[in-house]
Every structure is written in structure tokens, then in C-alpha cells.
Amino acid sequence: MSFGPGETDPSQNLRGDGLAAAPHTARVTFDRRELDRILSLYGRMVAAGEWRDYAIDFLRDRAVFSVFRHAAEVPIYRIEKNPKLARRQGAYSVITATGLIMRRGHDLERVLRVLDEKLIRLVVN
């Protein structure tokens, strides 16, 4: 079996101590505070009957919390954390199913307010 450039044989001992070295796969994740805030909003929207399901993806360049109205659909919103944009527009964004960026910023709390305002409108009507 041959391996391409940058690939190594998974059985190859790279550390010299009997254990194979794990490949470096740094992933972007939500920390506990961020996830608590997102799940708090999610719980309120489920209670209001607007959201039904979610998915979390931890990718190399960003973390994504996808919200679904029905499990078999595309996500109606994606809450993304992209550290590469932290110094420019901000690491956090809320994106619709069509790709429209509803809000982007440096503070997760402020970015999620766009969805909180939607919840307030649902309760008032």
C-alpha cells in the first residue's frame, strides 16, 4: 500500500514509546459558556414550538450549531464560530438557510439577540 505526500502509515510508530502518535486534528469547538447560551436559546425556541432538532459540527475552520424546524429538512439557521474572522467582522454569525448572514459580531450574546428578537415577536403576536 502506498501513501501520498504528507500521509503516514497508521501502524507506524512515530513516538518511539510503543504508542503511535495521534494525527494533529485541531478542531474549532464551542466552549461551555458559548454552548450554554446557545442551548438556552434553543430550549426557549423549542418551548415556543419553533425549533425541533439541532446538530453540532466541529470542523477544522469553524464550529457550527445547526437548527432544524423538522429533522428531515435543511437547517433554518446556523450559528457559526469562525476564529479566522475574529479580528475582522467577528468570530460569531447567524446564517439563514438561504445563506443570508443575519448578524455577525465579536460577542455571541449580541449576535444571538437577532434570534431572541424573533422569539419575542412570536410571544407577543
Side-chain angles (χ1 to χ4, degrees):
M1 177 167 26
S2 65
F3 295 95
E7 294 179 341
T8 59
D9 182 356
S11 64
Q12 182 181 7
N13 182 0
L14 301 177
R15 290 176 38 181
D17 61 359
L19 299 174
H24 181 65
T25 56
R27 303 259 186 232
V28 177
T29 62
F30 293 109
D31 64 28
R32 181 179 294 267
R33 181 189 55 82
E34 294 164 339
L35 206 50
D36 283 346
R37 175 59 181 101
I38 293 170
L39 289 173
S40 172
L41 172 64
Y42 175 79
R44 290 194 311 273
M45 293 300 269
V46 167
E50 286 296 303
W51 296 352
R52 302 274 190 274
D53 201 5
Y54 73 90
I56 301 175
D57 296 304
F58 299 127
L59 308 172
R60 286 187 158 198
D61 60 337
R62 67 187 187 276
V64 182
F65 186 95
S66 302
V67 177
F68 299 86
R69 182 167 283 136
H70 301 288
E73 292 183 349
V74 296
I76 54 176
Y77 297 109
R78 292 188 330 261
I79 302 164
E80 293 191 3
K81 176 184 178 181
N82 187 340
K84 289 181 182 177
L85 299 175
R87 292 188 175 208
R88 290 184 242 153
Q89 302 103 339
Y92 304 104
S93 57
V94 173
I95 303 169
T96 65
T98 60
L100 175 70
I101 298 173
M102 295 178 63
R103 186 164 295 165
R104 176 177 281 155
H106 300 282
D107 181 32
L108 179 63
E109 190 73 32
R110 291 182 133 190
V111 171
L112 291 180
R113 279 189 203 153
V114 71
L115 297 174
D116 274 335
E117 292 166 359
K118 181 176 172 44
L119 178 63
I120 290 169
R121 277 185 259 139
L122 289 171
V123 172
V124 172
N125 288 337

